[in-house]
Amino acid sequence: YRNMVELTLRFLIEQVGGVEGVYPKEGALGENFLLRSGASRGIELLGLMTIHVSPMWVLAALADATGAGHSLIQEISAAMKEEGLLDKDLRFGTADEILDGLERTSGQLASTLNYPPLDVKSLRSDWRKLKEALPKVPRENLPTPEMLERVWNGLQSTAREQKKPVFVICSSIAASAVLNIPANLWWLSRATKTAVKRTAGVVLGDVLLTHYIQATEEIRRKGFLSYWRQQFRPYLRAAAMQFAPGRLTLTEKILRIRIGRAKKPAG
């Protein structure tokens, strides 16, 4: 949130107000300000806050849950290691091991990089519920290893084309998922309830997987800058609204309530 506010202030000062000299010239926002250092950190922050819908976690969880093998999980964990989310010296072959690793590094990220702590507790709870519900899901309603590999390979290929870390690509897609997918479909354990009832041909997590495929294609078509600007705009707008003259602060709201009560006639 603070990152969004800082970016908004800087954008208003430099781009709207036209005030120069407030920030170092080498850090000027320019037309592509969303991808400069401050915004890059904003992407990382959003990636951490929306990790429950990130392709990284969802694909790793589905690969483990469906018995797709450890190779995909190892590839995903390697990408997490590059971002400092997991210990580079450890090996991760299951979703439980990834959760343990995220738990160990979460506090370090919060203290050294001022990142918000990862909500590993919620991820672990969702993972436990998913495993409990899996036996009830028809085998034909589970994603195949080939499908999961295809989605992951598409993300990696797009990251190489756009010259961005795959974590950044996944983070932008996760932010998009939060904006475009109903909240009741964000968690895999809830998707199992639907998969149990559905007929064959509709796989577990199909809404998220379809979104990942479509978002990856859109990034390739539009370019990462254009896609991220489109997804980032609602978050930026929300931060900007905090400075709208007509917006009442919490203090103002409390004072108005108290003044209103004081003006009421006794009795």
Side-chain angles (χ1 to χ4, degrees):
Y1 171 78
R2 188 180 67 185
N3 225 294
M4 301 305 160
V5 172
E6 289 175 352
L7 279 174
T8 303
L9 281 174
R10 187 165 183 176
F11 179 70
L12 291 174
I13 290 171
E14 291 186 353
Q15 303 298 310
V16 180
V19 181
E20 298 180 0
V22 178
Y23 297 96
K25 183 174 292 186
E26 61 271 15
L29 292 175
E31 290 185 5
N32 296 338
F33 80 100
L34 289 176
L35 293 182
R36 299 302 176 92
S37 59
S40 295
R41 188 165 183 268
I43 296 173
E44 294 170 1
L45 285 170
L46 278 178
L48 295 178
M49 290 186 288
T50 58
I51 194 168
H52 58 290
V53 289
S54 170
M56 281 190 162
W57 165 248
V58 171
L59 290 174
L62 287 176
D64 192 333
T66 59
H70 300 306
S71 60
L72 178 57
I73 297 176
Q74 289 172 2
E75 289 182 30
I76 294 173
S77 64
M80 289 183 172
K81 289 178 182 180
E82 291 178 5
E83 301 302 319
L85 297 177
L86 295 175
D87 191 328
K88 291 185 177 181
D89 298 325
L90 297 179
R91 185 181 179 87
F92 302 89
T94 67
D96 283 308
E97 290 174 356
I98 286 180
L99 288 172
D100 291 340
L102 290 174
E103 216 160 35
R104 283 191 292 268
T105 56
S106 177
Q108 183 179 354
L109 288 171
S111 60
T112 60
L113 298 178
N114 203 26
Y115 281 168
L118 288 168
D119 188 9
V120 181
K121 182 179 179 180
S122 294
L123 285 177
R124 194 180 293 280
S125 175
D126 187 62
W127 171 237
R128 176 180 55 79
K129 293 176 183 176
L130 173 62
K131 288 192 292 183
E132 291 173 354
L134 270 176
K136 302 176 185 177
V137 180
R139 188 68 191 176
E140 60 268 24
N141 284 12
L142 295 177
T144 64
E146 292 77 17
M147 180 181 187
L148 298 177
E149 286 280 0
R150 187 164 61 250
V151 175
W152 176 245
N153 289 338
L155 290 165
Q156 288 186 306
S157 175
T158 300
R160 288 192 294 270
E161 289 177 7
Q162 302 297 319
K163 295 181 173 56
K164 300 293 176 187
V166 69
F167 174 72
V168 170
I169 298 295
C170 290
S171 295
S172 62
I173 291 176
S176 172
V178 169
L179 291 173
N180 296 290
I181 294 177
N184 64 323
L185 298 177
W186 290 351
W187 299 95
L188 286 175
S189 62
R190 297 180 185 177
T192 57
K193 298 178 182 179
T194 307
V196 169
K197 301 175 183 177
R198 289 186 177 180
T199 57
V202 180
V203 300
L204 170 64
D206 64 315
V207 173
L208 286 170
L209 294 174
T210 299
H211 179 77
Y212 299 157
I213 294 171
Q214 292 175 344
T216 301
E217 292 174 351
E218 189 175 354
I219 292 173
R220 285 178 166 176
R221 188 172 65 254
K222 293 183 176 180
F224 179 75
L225 173 60
S226 177
Y227 179 83
W228 175 244
R229 184 186 290 116
Q230 175 184 323
Q231 304 307 322
F232 186 81
R233 190 175 292 115
Y235 297 97
L236 185 62
R237 187 183 299 116
M241 284 298 295
Q242 302 303 315
F243 303 97
R247 182 182 177 86
L248 293 178
T249 65
L250 179 60
T251 303
E252 288 174 314
K253 291 178 181 178
I254 294 173
L255 287 175
R256 288 195 176 193
I257 291 173
R258 291 184 176 179
I259 291 173
R261 289 175 179 172
K263 289 182 177 180
K264 287 183 178 180

